[in-house]
Amino acid sequence: EALDLYQDEFLPECRYFDWSVLGRENARQKFLAVSERLGNHYLQEQRWDEVLELGMRALKHEKGWEPAYILMIKAHLAQGNTAQARAL
C-alpha cells in the first residue's frame, strides 16, 4: 500500500536545510491527499474499521487534520456509535 511508504517526515535529519522543506511538504501533502481519497472510498464501501484506522494514522502524522476527524465521525455515525462520534 502506498501509504505504508510514508513513515515519518521526509529527511528528518535535514529539517533545518532550506532545500529539504519542499520535498518534506510535498510528501506530507501527498500522504494526506491519498489518505482522504482512500478514506472516502472506504466510507462508500462501508469499511468502517479501515476508515477509523486510516483516520488515526493520519492524525498521528498531522494532529489537527480536520478531514481525518470528519471521516472518523462519519464512520462512527454509520455504525450507530453516536457517543464515539461526539467524543472526537
Side-chain angles (χ1 to χ4, degrees), residues 25-74:
E25 183 60 21
N26 187 32
R28 187 182 72 80
Q29 288 296 328
K30 285 182 180 179
F31 169 77
L32 295 175
V34 170
S35 294
E36 187 171 12
R37 283 196 303 267
L38 186 58
N40 282 314
H41 171 74
Y42 287 159
L43 279 176
Q44 290 176 352
E45 297 291 317
Q46 299 181 1
R47 295 169 61 180
W48 315 126
D49 290 339
E50 286 94 335
V51 173
L52 296 171
E53 181 181 322
L54 185 66
M56 292 303 294
R57 183 173 176 187
L59 290 174
K60 177 183 154 204
H61 294 288
E62 188 72 28
K63 293 186 184 358
W65 192 54
E66 190 172 329
Y69 287 106
I70 292 169
L71 289 168
M72 293 170 65
I73 289 169
K74 287 180 178 180

